[in-house]
mmCIF file of all heavy atoms in Angstrom:
data_model
loop_
_atom_site.group_PDB
_atom_site.id
_atom_site.type_symbol
_atom_site.label_atom_id
_atom_site.label_comp_id
_atom_site.label_asym_id
_atom_site.label_seq_id
_atom_site.Cartn_x
_atom_site.Cartn_y
_atom_site.Cartn_z
ATOM 1 N N SER A 787 56.057 -15.511 -42.373
ATOM 2 C CA SER A 787 57.192 -15.657 -43.267
ATOM 3 C C SER A 787 56.708 -15.986 -44.670
ATOM 4 O O SER A 787 55.544 -16.309 -44.894
ATOM 5 C CB SER A 787 58.104 -16.772 -42.756
ATOM 6 O OG SER A 787 57.448 -18.025 -42.842
ATOM 7 N N TRP A 788 57.620 -15.888 -45.631
ATOM 8 C CA TRP A 788 57.218 -16.244 -46.990
ATOM 9 C C TRP A 788 57.457 -17.715 -47.288
ATOM 10 O O TRP A 788 56.879 -18.251 -48.237
ATOM 11 C CB TRP A 788 57.918 -15.351 -48.019
ATOM 12 C CG TRP A 788 59.413 -15.382 -48.050
ATOM 13 C CD1 TRP A 788 60.264 -14.547 -47.395
ATOM 14 C CD2 TRP A 788 60.241 -16.263 -48.817
ATOM 15 N NE1 TRP A 788 61.570 -14.858 -47.682
ATOM 16 C CE2 TRP A 788 61.582 -15.905 -48.564
ATOM 17 C CE3 TRP A 788 59.991 -17.324 -49.700
ATOM 18 C CZ2 TRP A 788 62.666 -16.568 -49.143
ATOM 19 C CZ3 TRP A 788 61.064 -17.974 -50.292
ATOM 20 C CH2 TRP A 788 62.381 -17.591 -49.983
ATOM 21 N N GLY A 789 58.289 -18.374 -46.496
ATOM 22 C CA GLY A 789 58.506 -19.806 -46.641
ATOM 23 C C GLY A 789 57.797 -20.534 -45.523
ATOM 24 O O GLY A 789 57.721 -20.083 -44.401
ATOM 25 N N GLY A 790 57.257 -21.688 -45.800
ATOM 26 C CA GLY A 790 56.570 -22.472 -44.747
ATOM 27 C C GLY A 790 55.071 -22.481 -44.968
ATOM 28 O O GLY A 790 54.524 -23.478 -45.379
ATOM 29 N N PRO A 791 54.362 -21.367 -44.762
ATOM 30 C CA PRO A 791 54.847 -20.204 -44.012
ATOM 31 C C PRO A 791 54.756 -20.417 -42.500
ATOM 32 O O PRO A 791 54.037 -21.293 -42.053
ATOM 33 C CB PRO A 791 53.915 -19.080 -44.452
ATOM 34 C CG PRO A 791 52.628 -19.774 -44.744
ATOM 35 C CD PRO A 791 52.984 -21.145 -45.262
ATOM 36 N N ARG A 792 55.487 -19.636 -41.774
ATOM 37 C CA ARG A 792 55.426 -19.668 -40.319
ATOM 38 C C ARG A 792 54.798 -18.375 -39.836
ATOM 39 O O ARG A 792 54.952 -17.333 -40.452
ATOM 40 C CB ARG A 792 56.831 -19.811 -39.738
ATOM 41 C CG ARG A 792 57.482 -21.149 -40.025
ATOM 42 C CD ARG A 792 58.794 -21.282 -39.299
ATOM 43 N NE ARG A 792 59.454 -22.553 -39.597
ATOM 44 C CZ ARG A 792 60.624 -22.910 -39.102
ATOM 45 N NH1 ARG A 792 61.265 -22.099 -38.265
ATOM 46 N NH2 ARG A 792 61.148 -24.079 -39.416
ATOM 47 N N THR A 793 54.093 -18.476 -38.739
ATOM 48 C CA THR A 793 53.428 -17.310 -38.170
ATOM 49 C C THR A 793 53.990 -16.989 -36.801
ATOM 50 O O THR A 793 54.451 -17.883 -36.074
ATOM 51 C CB THR A 793 51.914 -17.523 -38.068
ATOM 52 O OG1 THR A 793 51.653 -18.706 -37.286
ATOM 53 C CG2 THR A 793 51.293 -17.702 -39.449
ATOM 54 N N TYR A 794 53.955 -15.721 -36.464
ATOM 55 C CA TYR A 794 54.512 -15.219 -35.219
ATOM 56 C C TYR A 794 53.536 -14.189 -34.644
ATOM 57 O O TYR A 794 52.960 -13.403 -35.390
ATOM 58 C CB TYR A 794 55.869 -14.556 -35.460
ATOM 59 C CG TYR A 794 56.873 -15.452 -36.138
ATOM 60 C CD1 TYR A 794 56.888 -15.596 -37.528
ATOM 61 C CD2 TYR A 794 57.808 -16.181 -35.390
ATOM 62 C CE1 TYR A 794 57.796 -16.435 -38.149
ATOM 63 C CE2 TYR A 794 58.720 -17.010 -36.018
ATOM 64 C CZ TYR A 794 58.701 -17.135 -37.392
ATOM 65 O OH TYR A 794 59.611 -17.968 -38.000
ATOM 66 N N TYR A 795 53.384 -14.197 -33.325
ATOM 67 C CA TYR A 795 52.419 -13.311 -32.681
ATOM 68 C C TYR A 795 52.991 -12.689 -31.422
ATOM 69 O O TYR A 795 53.775 -13.323 -30.695
ATOM 70 C CB TYR A 795 51.150 -14.081 -32.297
ATOM 71 C CG TYR A 795 50.414 -14.665 -33.482
ATOM 72 C CD1 TYR A 795 50.633 -15.980 -33.882
ATOM 73 C CD2 TYR A 795 49.517 -13.884 -34.200
ATOM 74 C CE1 TYR A 795 49.970 -16.510 -34.973
ATOM 75 C CE2 TYR A 795 48.839 -14.409 -35.295
ATOM 76 C CZ TYR A 795 49.070 -15.720 -35.671
ATOM 77 O OH TYR A 795 48.402 -16.231 -36.756
ATOM 78 N N ALA A 796 52.558 -11.473 -31.156
ATOM 79 C CA ALA A 796 52.822 -10.879 -29.859
ATOM 80 C C ALA A 796 51.998 -11.622 -28.813
ATOM 81 O O ALA A 796 50.898 -12.102 -29.107
ATOM 82 C CB ALA A 796 52.449 -9.398 -29.865
ATOM 83 N N ASP A 797 52.519 -11.701 -27.606
ATOM 84 C CA ASP A 797 51.802 -12.409 -26.553
ATOM 85 C C ASP A 797 50.411 -11.835 -26.317
ATOM 86 O O ASP A 797 49.474 -12.560 -25.982
ATOM 87 C CB ASP A 797 52.604 -12.372 -25.246
ATOM 88 C CG ASP A 797 53.843 -13.247 -25.306
ATOM 89 O OD1 ASP A 797 53.918 -14.133 -26.187
ATOM 90 O OD2 ASP A 797 54.738 -13.046 -24.469
ATOM 91 N N SER A 798 50.267 -10.548 -26.497
ATOM 92 C CA SER A 798 49.009 -9.873 -26.201
ATOM 93 C C SER A 798 47.879 -10.257 -27.152
ATOM 94 O O SER A 798 46.708 -10.048 -26.822
ATOM 95 C CB SER A 798 49.204 -8.359 -26.226
ATOM 96 O OG SER A 798 49.684 -7.943 -27.495
ATOM 97 N N VAL A 799 48.231 -10.822 -28.304
ATOM 98 C CA VAL A 799 47.187 -11.169 -29.293
ATOM 99 C C VAL A 799 47.135 -12.662 -29.586
ATOM 100 O O VAL A 799 46.241 -13.115 -30.315
ATOM 101 C CB VAL A 799 47.379 -10.391 -30.606
ATOM 102 C CG1 VAL A 799 47.459 -8.891 -30.325
ATOM 103 C CG2 VAL A 799 48.597 -10.876 -31.380
ATOM 104 N N LYS A 800 48.071 -13.407 -29.027
ATOM 105 C CA LYS A 800 48.134 -14.837 -29.305
ATOM 106 C C LYS A 800 46.834 -15.515 -28.901
ATOM 107 O O LYS A 800 46.311 -15.278 -27.813
ATOM 108 C CB LYS A 800 49.317 -15.447 -28.540
ATOM 109 C CG LYS A 800 49.866 -16.711 -29.133
ATOM 110 C CD LYS A 800 51.177 -17.091 -28.449
ATOM 111 C CE LYS A 800 52.286 -16.127 -28.771
ATOM 112 N NZ LYS A 800 53.590 -16.519 -28.183
ATOM 113 N N GLY A 801 46.305 -16.336 -29.787
ATOM 114 C CA GLY A 801 45.047 -17.035 -29.529
ATOM 115 C C GLY A 801 43.818 -16.252 -29.953
ATOM 116 O O GLY A 801 42.717 -16.803 -29.996
ATOM 117 N N ARG A 802 43.992 -14.962 -30.253
ATOM 118 C CA ARG A 802 42.845 -14.123 -30.669
ATOM 119 C C ARG A 802 42.979 -13.650 -32.109
ATOM 120 O O ARG A 802 41.981 -13.512 -32.812
ATOM 121 C CB ARG A 802 42.724 -12.908 -29.749
ATOM 122 C CG ARG A 802 42.495 -13.259 -28.286
ATOM 123 C CD ARG A 802 42.201 -11.995 -27.465
ATOM 124 N NE ARG A 802 43.312 -11.047 -27.468
ATOM 125 C CZ ARG A 802 43.220 -9.782 -27.893
ATOM 126 N NH1 ARG A 802 42.069 -9.326 -28.373
ATOM 127 N NH2 ARG A 802 44.268 -8.985 -27.855
ATOM 128 N N PHE A 803 44.207 -13.384 -32.539
ATOM 129 C CA PHE A 803 44.464 -12.876 -33.884
ATOM 130 C C PHE A 803 45.092 -13.983 -34.730
ATOM 131 O O PHE A 803 45.852 -14.819 -34.221
ATOM 132 C CB PHE A 803 45.428 -11.703 -33.848
ATOM 133 C CG PHE A 803 44.866 -10.443 -33.259
ATOM 134 C CD1 PHE A 803 43.669 -10.424 -32.567
ATOM 135 C CD2 PHE A 803 45.566 -9.241 -33.400
ATOM 136 C CE1 PHE A 803 43.176 -9.245 -32.017
ATOM 137 C CE2 PHE A 803 45.078 -8.066 -32.868
ATOM 138 C CZ PHE A 803 43.890 -8.066 -32.172
ATOM 139 N N THR A 804 44.782 -13.941 -36.026
ATOM 140 C CA THR A 804 45.374 -14.892 -36.968
ATOM 141 C C THR A 804 45.855 -14.147 -38.202
ATOM 142 O O THR A 804 45.076 -13.420 -38.826
ATOM 143 C CB THR A 804 44.360 -15.959 -37.388
ATOM 144 O OG1 THR A 804 43.888 -16.660 -36.229
ATOM 145 C CG2 THR A 804 45.005 -16.976 -38.336
ATOM 146 N N ILE A 805 47.113 -14.332 -38.532
ATOM 147 C CA ILE A 805 47.665 -13.743 -39.742
ATOM 148 C C ILE A 805 47.736 -14.832 -40.808
ATOM 149 O O ILE A 805 48.036 -15.989 -40.511
ATOM 150 C CB ILE A 805 49.059 -13.122 -39.489
ATOM 151 C CG1 ILE A 805 49.541 -12.357 -40.707
ATOM 152 C CG2 ILE A 805 50.067 -14.183 -39.056
ATOM 153 C CD1 ILE A 805 50.812 -11.529 -40.456
ATOM 154 N N SER A 806 47.439 -14.433 -42.034
ATOM 155 C CA SER A 806 47.509 -15.371 -43.149
ATOM 156 C C SER A 806 47.883 -14.600 -44.404
ATOM 157 O O SER A 806 47.802 -13.376 -44.434
ATOM 158 C CB SER A 806 46.178 -16.106 -43.334
ATOM 159 O OG SER A 806 45.141 -15.200 -43.631
ATOM 160 N N ARG A 807 48.308 -15.342 -45.419
ATOM 161 C CA ARG A 807 48.649 -14.692 -46.683
ATOM 162 C C ARG A 807 48.156 -15.540 -47.828
ATOM 163 O O ARG A 807 48.148 -16.767 -47.750
ATOM 164 C CB ARG A 807 50.150 -14.440 -46.774
ATOM 165 C CG ARG A 807 51.030 -15.659 -46.836
ATOM 166 C CD ARG A 807 52.511 -15.273 -46.671
ATOM 167 N NE ARG A 807 52.996 -14.473 -47.787
ATOM 168 C CZ ARG A 807 54.122 -13.752 -47.725
ATOM 169 N NH1 ARG A 807 54.853 -13.747 -46.629
ATOM 170 N NH2 ARG A 807 54.509 -13.066 -48.780
ATOM 171 N N ASP A 808 47.760 -14.863 -48.881
ATOM 172 C CA ASP A 808 47.337 -15.509 -50.117
ATOM 173 C C ASP A 808 48.263 -14.989 -51.205
ATOM 174 O O ASP A 808 48.071 -13.881 -51.711
ATOM 175 C CB ASP A 808 45.873 -15.180 -50.412
ATOM 176 C CG ASP A 808 45.333 -15.913 -51.629
ATOM 177 O OD1 ASP A 808 46.132 -16.321 -52.488
ATOM 178 O OD2 ASP A 808 44.117 -16.062 -51.731
ATOM 179 N N ASN A 809 49.275 -15.764 -51.535
ATOM 180 C CA ASN A 809 50.270 -15.297 -52.499
ATOM 181 C C ASN A 809 49.673 -15.125 -53.888
ATOM 182 O O ASN A 809 50.145 -14.301 -54.668
ATOM 183 C CB ASN A 809 51.454 -16.259 -52.542
ATOM 184 C CG ASN A 809 52.291 -16.190 -51.283
ATOM 185 O OD1 ASN A 809 52.319 -15.177 -50.579
ATOM 186 N ND2 ASN A 809 52.979 -17.275 -50.971
ATOM 187 N N ALA A 810 48.639 -15.876 -54.214
ATOM 188 C CA ALA A 810 48.003 -15.734 -55.521
ATOM 189 C C ALA A 810 47.322 -14.371 -55.652
ATOM 190 O O ALA A 810 47.214 -13.826 -56.750
ATOM 191 C CB ALA A 810 46.992 -16.844 -55.742
ATOM 192 N N LYS A 811 46.881 -13.841 -54.505
ATOM 193 C CA LYS A 811 46.217 -12.535 -54.508
ATOM 194 C C LYS A 811 47.123 -11.422 -54.003
ATOM 195 O O LYS A 811 46.690 -10.272 -53.887
ATOM 196 C CB LYS A 811 44.953 -12.595 -53.644
ATOM 197 C CG LYS A 811 43.876 -13.530 -54.171
ATOM 198 C CD LYS A 811 42.642 -13.494 -53.290
ATOM 199 C CE LYS A 811 41.549 -14.396 -53.841
ATOM 200 N NZ LYS A 811 40.326 -14.375 -52.987
ATOM 201 N N ASN A 812 48.363 -11.769 -53.679
ATOM 202 C CA ASN A 812 49.301 -10.777 -53.147
ATOM 203 C C ASN A 812 48.708 -10.042 -51.957
ATOM 204 O O ASN A 812 48.832 -8.810 -51.835
ATOM 205 C CB ASN A 812 49.707 -9.761 -54.223
ATOM 206 C CG ASN A 812 50.730 -10.318 -55.179
ATOM 207 O OD1 ASN A 812 51.159 -11.460 -55.060
ATOM 208 N ND2 ASN A 812 51.134 -9.519 -56.140
ATOM 209 N N THR A 813 48.069 -10.770 -51.080
ATOM 210 C CA THR A 813 47.361 -10.147 -49.969
ATOM 211 C C THR A 813 47.668 -10.869 -48.666
ATOM 212 O O THR A 813 47.772 -12.094 -48.638
ATOM 213 C CB THR A 813 45.842 -10.162 -50.228
ATOM 214 O OG1 THR A 813 45.567 -9.455 -51.447
ATOM 215 C CG2 THR A 813 45.079 -9.489 -49.094
ATOM 216 N N VAL A 814 47.810 -10.081 -47.621
ATOM 217 C CA VAL A 814 47.964 -10.625 -46.274
ATOM 218 C C VAL A 814 46.783 -10.147 -45.444
ATOM 219 O O VAL A 814 46.272 -9.037 -45.651
ATOM 220 C CB VAL A 814 49.319 -10.198 -45.654
ATOM 221 C CG1 VAL A 814 49.412 -8.695 -45.495
ATOM 222 C CG2 VAL A 814 49.545 -10.895 -44.329
ATOM 223 N N TYR A 815 46.355 -10.996 -44.537
ATOM 224 C CA TYR A 815 45.174 -10.711 -43.731
ATOM 225 C C TYR A 815 45.518 -10.777 -42.245
ATOM 226 O O TYR A 815 46.432 -11.491 -41.834
ATOM 227 C CB TYR A 815 44.076 -11.735 -44.015
ATOM 228 C CG TYR A 815 43.687 -11.845 -45.462
ATOM 229 C CD1 TYR A 815 44.246 -12.832 -46.278
ATOM 230 C CD2 TYR A 815 42.767 -10.969 -46.021
ATOM 231 C CE1 TYR A 815 43.896 -12.939 -47.612
ATOM 232 C CE2 TYR A 815 42.405 -11.072 -47.353
ATOM 233 C CZ TYR A 815 42.971 -12.061 -48.142
ATOM 234 O OH TYR A 815 42.610 -12.155 -49.460
ATOM 235 N N LEU A 816 44.742 -10.037 -41.477
ATOM 236 C CA LEU A 816 44.815 -10.162 -40.029
ATOM 237 C C LEU A 816 43.388 -10.307 -39.522
ATOM 238 O O LEU A 816 42.610 -9.337 -39.551
ATOM 239 C CB LEU A 816 45.490 -8.955 -39.380
ATOM 240 C CG LEU A 816 45.694 -9.073 -37.876
ATOM 241 C CD1 LEU A 816 46.731 -10.158 -37.553
ATOM 242 C CD2 LEU A 816 46.127 -7.741 -37.271
ATOM 243 N N GLN A 817 43.035 -11.509 -39.122
ATOM 244 C CA GLN A 817 41.730 -11.764 -38.532
ATOM 245 C C GLN A 817 41.838 -11.525 -37.034
ATOM 246 O O GLN A 817 42.654 -12.151 -36.357
ATOM 247 C CB GLN A 817 41.304 -13.204 -38.807
ATOM 248 C CG GLN A 817 39.978 -13.586 -38.178
ATOM 249 C CD GLN A 817 38.807 -12.833 -38.784
ATOM 250 O OE1 GLN A 817 38.730 -12.676 -40.001
ATOM 251 N NE2 GLN A 817 37.891 -12.369 -37.938
ATOM 252 N N MET A 818 41.017 -10.638 -36.541
ATOM 253 C CA MET A 818 41.074 -10.250 -35.136
ATOM 254 C C MET A 818 39.757 -10.637 -34.460
ATOM 255 O O MET A 818 38.700 -10.105 -34.821
ATOM 256 C CB MET A 818 41.323 -8.749 -35.009
ATOM 257 C CG MET A 818 42.561 -8.279 -35.743
ATOM 258 S SD MET A 818 42.905 -6.530 -35.511
ATOM 259 C CE MET A 818 41.526 -5.808 -36.397
ATOM 260 N N ASN A 819 39.837 -11.547 -33.526
ATOM 261 C CA ASN A 819 38.663 -12.014 -32.780
ATOM 262 C C ASN A 819 38.801 -11.638 -31.311
ATOM 263 O O ASN A 819 39.890 -11.309 -30.834
ATOM 264 C CB ASN A 819 38.513 -13.529 -32.922
ATOM 265 C CG ASN A 819 38.303 -13.972 -34.352
ATOM 266 O OD1 ASN A 819 37.712 -13.258 -35.160
ATOM 267 N ND2 ASN A 819 38.790 -15.165 -34.675
ATOM 268 N N SER A 820 37.705 -11.711 -30.592
ATOM 269 C CA SER A 820 37.689 -11.403 -29.153
ATOM 270 C C SER A 820 38.399 -10.090 -28.871
ATOM 271 O O SER A 820 39.244 -9.998 -27.978
ATOM 272 C CB SER A 820 38.342 -12.554 -28.369
ATOM 273 O OG SER A 820 37.691 -13.780 -28.603
ATOM 274 N N LEU A 821 38.041 -9.097 -29.635
ATOM 275 C CA LEU A 821 38.730 -7.804 -29.511
ATOM 276 C C LEU A 821 38.476 -7.167 -28.151
ATOM 277 O O LEU A 821 37.392 -7.294 -27.566
ATOM 278 C CB LEU A 821 38.292 -6.877 -30.633
ATOM 279 C CG LEU A 821 38.958 -7.177 -31.983
ATOM 280 C CD1 LEU A 821 38.164 -6.566 -33.122
ATOM 281 C CD2 LEU A 821 40.393 -6.661 -31.993
ATOM 282 N N LYS A 822 39.497 -6.454 -27.689
ATOM 283 C CA LYS A 822 39.453 -5.781 -26.400
ATOM 284 C C LYS A 822 39.677 -4.287 -26.610
ATOM 285 O O LYS A 822 40.313 -3.888 -27.592
ATOM 286 C CB LYS A 822 40.541 -6.322 -25.487
ATOM 287 C CG LYS A 822 40.521 -7.827 -25.283
ATOM 288 C CD LYS A 822 41.722 -8.281 -24.457
ATOM 289 C CE LYS A 822 41.717 -9.786 -24.250
ATOM 290 N NZ LYS A 822 42.888 -10.235 -23.472
ATOM 291 N N PRO A 823 39.221 -3.463 -25.692
ATOM 292 C CA PRO A 823 39.467 -2.021 -25.831
ATOM 293 C C PRO A 823 40.954 -1.690 -25.983
ATOM 294 O O PRO A 823 41.302 -0.742 -26.698
ATOM 295 C CB PRO A 823 38.897 -1.440 -24.539
ATOM 296 C CG PRO A 823 37.790 -2.382 -24.179
ATOM 297 C CD PRO A 823 38.305 -3.743 -24.575
#
């Protein structure tokens, strides 16, 4: 979300993926760890 911010995940990626945003850079990121096929 843009306020908070709050994060939300699909069950299939919870605990492995992290979403973040840097409003100063107008950029959102998705860090993906423990990737699976």
